[in-house]
Amino acid sequence: MDARAQSSGLKLAHIKIACSNCNMRELCMPVDLSEADMLRIEEVVSSRRKVIRGDSLFNNGETFKALFAIRTGFFKTSFASPDGREQVTGFQMAGEVMGLDGIVNDHHTCDAIALEDAEVCVMNFDHIATLSREITGLQRHVHKMLSREILRENGVMLLLGSMRAEERLATFLLNLAQRLHARGFSSSELVLRMTREEIGSYLGMKIETVSRTFSKLVEDGIVEVHLRQVRILDADALKALTNPHSQ
Amino acid sequence: MDARAQSSGLKLAHIKIACSNCNMRELCMPVDLSEADMLRIEEVVSSRRKVIRGDSLFNNGETFKALFAIRTGFFKTSFASPDGREQVTGFQMAGEVMGLDGIVNDHHTCDAIALEDAEVCVMNFDHIATLSREITGLQRHVHKMLSREILRENGVMLLLGSMRAEERLATFLLNLAQRLHARGFSSSELVLRMTREEIGSYLGMKIETVSRTFSKLVEDGIVEVHLRQVRILDADALKALTNPHSQ
DNA sequence: CGCCGCATTGACGTTCGTCAAGTCTAGTGG
DNA sequence: CCACTAGACTTGACGAACGTCAATGCGGCG
């Protein structure tokens, strides 16, 4: 599959908002439900929202009212320290949910920026909470989404705390490829939607180091890189970089 | 207050298990409830469990059944990569809850080790889920606990991704002091319950760097350190290290 | 076509990791 | 009570990895 197809957001504005006929449903709402419950859950998706590339879906400090499920497009979330440093905390793609960090203080604590034109489902959180008191499957799903995010961040902490530059980048590329593959794209060919600087912020390295590390992977024949086009030539070698001490 | 008092775990084994008379309640279950609901919530705390220093409360891979609220004692949680590297993901003290990462896959994904003799409340998660369908305040509380953990980890990612050794240690010490202060201890005098190596794992630095960084803070007259006894002499200077670019 | 932002590459400096030696402390047993 | 020991901690010398500064290349967009 052409990696370019990643960006082909379907334009379905006229079709009824419905999880039941959404091709992302099994990713963002994998709940086994009766038809009646399904209809009720669709009420949660109160609206859709388009976000054009470069715009923010929400910003740090804004009142938290809803979670956002990505239908199409690609986002980064970033978290700022009081003195203005920025840490990209994640990259989100179709089927993934953003805004979970806003629950605790009733306002968002990070920024979500679209890295390509995107469309999201706006899911009113009070509504989710109400409904999940009645639909056990939805309740479980909410718990799991939150827990999954904790688990994901544990992985990032491990990466940031104990990996070298090359391992970090290898881990990052494999993770992206795996998630794209789960969405029906090639697992060896990908288009990076973010700049080197954003990759660097996420991986805790400077832009020059990101660039040099890419160049090293290319030299070693592990990947082909053309700016944001990446082709993984030797996935095994990439995986080997991921756990260098496992012998 | 003597920092030594941190370890004075009350021995109340004979007293009825009851959140209502637990001095940690406002930390771990800050929910405004009717007396009737309060009694029902106490059913959640099915039992207590003592863990002696060095033992694990749960391990990676074990089936997830319950969350654990710390009554007394001090824990670390650590997360291992496939090739055996370990990342300490957090240090938990009285009133804090562990095990949230286990929800998503029905089994724990990290280890929780007691760094001093401890007692925890075992809270059956199915029971929590059931009850939170009826008691809105509890449901909100569960959501907030999960979201708070995500927020906390965002902060650690920022630390690991963008801070220098000295900033990391300063941030770490201030965070510990603040949490101890919230529990009625001195905010300037603390006893580290963890080794330099565990601090290093948490902060993404080697043990020698941790040691050297402590020494630097001592040289600069910012803290006094006697092995695990730490006294903060100049909290402002420590805070200043925390955001060096804010000028 | 020309500009601007993104990316790459090189030279150099700093920070932190590595290796090694040595000190201190708490705990154990005589 | 003291000697002994193992583990925790500190300190120094050195080197590798990564950050910094600077110059240049390249593509996309107006």
Side-chain angles (χ1 to χ4, degrees):
Chain A
M1 178 177 307
D2 188 343
R4 210 166 303 253
Q6 280 175 229
S7 63
S8 71
L10 301 173
K11 300 292 184 290
L12 294 175
H14 311 100
I15 295 186
K16 179 179 170 300
I17 290 173
C19 298
S20 46
N21 61 21
C22 174
N23 52 358
M24 286 300 123
R25 190 175 86 77
E26 61 185 25
L27 283 167
C28 86
M29 191 65 71
V31 178
D32 230 2
L33 294 173
S34 69
E35 202 157 326
D37 283 347
M38 196 67 222
L39 284 171
R40 301 191 62 195
I41 282 188
E42 286 175 4
E43 293 168 23
V44 163
V45 183
S46 48
S47 66
R48 294 245 177 93
R49 188 170 146 193
K50 286 185 192 287
V51 188
I52 67 171
R53 179 179 156 158
D55 280 3
S56 70
L57 175 60
F58 56 79
N59 283 303
N60 179 16
E62 288 177 17
T63 303
F64 168 79
K65 288 180 192 135
L67 300 177
F68 302 95
I70 305 176
R71 261 180 65 78
T72 63
F74 197 94
F75 285 83
K76 69 168 177 180
T77 47
S78 64
F79 184 79
S81 67
D83 63 322
R85 272 173 301 187
E86 221 190 9
Q87 171 74 26
V88 171
T89 53
F91 298 106
Q92 291 81 19
M93 56 180 73
E96 296 174 338
V97 172
M98 291 178 294
L100 298 169
D101 57 279
I103 297 172
V104 61
N105 294 319
D106 293 318
H107 62 77
H108 292 286
T109 55
C110 66
D111 302 328
I113 313 281
L115 298 183
E116 60 179 17
D117 293 355
E119 189 181 19
V120 301
C121 297
V122 181
M123 307 184 292
N124 181 282
F125 188 68
D126 286 340
H127 204 151
I128 292 177
T130 303
L131 220 53
S132 74
R133 265 176 251 136
E134 298 168 32
I135 303 174
T136 309
L138 180 61
Q139 182 193 35
R140 279 170 48 89
H141 181 60
V142 171
H143 290 156
K144 290 194 182 220
M145 280 194 302
L146 284 153
S147 180
R148 182 180 300 116
E149 178 65 6
I150 291 171
L151 200 54
R152 184 189 73 80
E153 296 198 357
N154 278 345
V156 179
M157 285 170 64
L158 179 68
L159 179 147
L160 291 171
S162 72
M163 291 186 188
R164 303 280 185 78
E166 210 177 19
E167 301 175 64
R168 295 185 193 196
L169 192 60
T171 304
F172 171 69
L173 290 176
L174 285 170
N175 175 270
L176 271 188
Q178 174 254 309
R179 283 155 67 201
L180 288 170
H181 190 57
R183 284 157 181 79
F185 297 103
S186 164
S187 61
S188 66
E189 212 160 325
L190 50 149
V191 179
L192 303 175
R193 300 302 178 187
M194 68 295 283
T195 65
R196 297 289 190 266
E197 189 151 20
E198 287 159 343
I199 295 174
S201 172
Y202 181 59
L203 298 179
M205 13 198 294
K206 294 291 158 183
I207 180 172
E208 295 93 334
T209 306
V210 174
S211 188
R212 270 186 256 271
T213 309
F214 265 120
S215 300
K216 173 112 191 336
L217 293 182
V218 171
E219 273 175 41
D220 294 351
I222 297 175
V223 299
E224 267 177 26
V225 177
H226 229 301
L227 294 176
R228 303 202 183 174
Q229 295 271 350
V230 176
R231 181 199 298 260
I232 298 173
L233 299 174
D234 188 345
D236 290 339
L238 213 50
K239 277 179 203 119
L241 288 178
T242 287
N243 49 354
H245 298 301
S246 68
Q247 228 279 36
Chain B
M1 180 178 304
D2 187 344
R4 210 166 300 256
Q6 279 175 228
S7 63
S8 70
L10 301 173
K11 301 291 185 289
L12 294 175
H14 311 100
I15 294 184
K16 181 179 169 301
I17 290 172
C19 298
S20 46
N21 61 21
C22 174
N23 52 357
M24 286 301 122
R25 191 174 86 78
E26 62 184 25
L27 284 167
C28 86
M29 192 65 72
V31 179
D32 229 3
L33 295 173
S34 69
E35 202 156 327
D37 284 346
M38 197 65 223
L39 284 171
R40 302 190 64 195
I41 281 189
E42 287 176 3
E43 291 167 26
V44 163
V45 182
S46 49
S47 66
R48 295 244 177 95
R49 188 170 147 195
K50 286 184 193 286
V51 188
I52 66 171
R53 179 180 156 159
D55 280 3
S56 70
L57 175 61
F58 56 79
N59 283 301
N60 179 17
E62 288 177 16
T63 304
F64 168 79
K65 288 180 193 137
L67 300 177
F68 301 95
I70 304 176
R71 260 182 64 79
T72 63
F74 198 95
F75 285 82
K76 70 167 175 180
T77 47
S78 65
F79 184 79
S81 67
D83 63 323
R85 272 172 300 186
E86 222 191 7
Q87 172 74 26
V88 171
T89 53
F91 297 107
Q92 292 80 18
M93 56 180 74
E96 296 175 338
V97 172
M98 291 179 293
L100 299 168
D101 57 280
I103 297 171
V104 62
N105 294 320
D106 292 319
H107 63 75
H108 292 286
T109 55
C110 66
D111 302 328
I113 313 279
L115 298 183
E116 61 178 17
D117 292 356
E119 191 181 18
V120 301
C121 296
V122 181
M123 307 186 291
N124 181 282
F125 188 69
D126 286 341
H127 203 151
I128 292 177
T130 304
L131 221 53
S132 74
R133 265 175 252 135
E134 300 169 31
I135 303 174
T136 309
L138 179 61
Q139 182 194 34
R140 279 171 46 89
H141 182 61
V142 171
H143 290 156
K144 291 196 179 217
M145 280 194 302
L146 284 153
S147 180
R148 183 179 301 117
E149 179 65 6
I150 292 170
L151 200 54
R152 184 189 74 81
E153 296 198 358
N154 278 345
V156 179
M157 286 169 64
L158 179 67
L159 179 147
L160 291 171
S162 73
M163 292 187 188
R164 303 277 181 82
E166 210 176 18
E167 300 174 64
R168 295 185 193 196
L169 193 60
T171 304
F172 171 69
L173 289 175
L174 286 170
N175 176 269
L176 271 187
Q178 174 254 309
R179 283 155 67 203
L180 288 169
H181 191 56
R183 283 157 182 79
F185 298 103
S186 164
S187 61
S188 65
E189 211 159 327
L190 51 149
V191 178
L192 304 174
R193 299 303 180 186
M194 69 296 283
T195 66
R196 298 289 191 266
E197 189 152 20
E198 287 159 342
I199 295 174
S201 173
Y202 181 59
L203 299 180
M205 6 194 304
K206 294 292 160 183
I207 180 173
E208 296 92 333
T209 306
V210 175
S211 188
R212 270 187 257 273
T213 309
F214 266 120
S215 300
K216 173 113 194 330
L217 293 182
V218 171
E219 270 174 43
D220 294 350
I222 297 174
V223 300
E224 266 177 24
V225 178
H226 232 300
L227 294 176
R228 302 201 183 174
Q229 294 272 351
V230 176
R231 182 200 296 261
I232 298 174
L233 299 174
D234 189 344
D236 289 339
L238 212 51
K239 277 180 204 118
L241 288 178
T242 287
N243 49 357
H245 300 300
S246 68
Q247 228 282 25

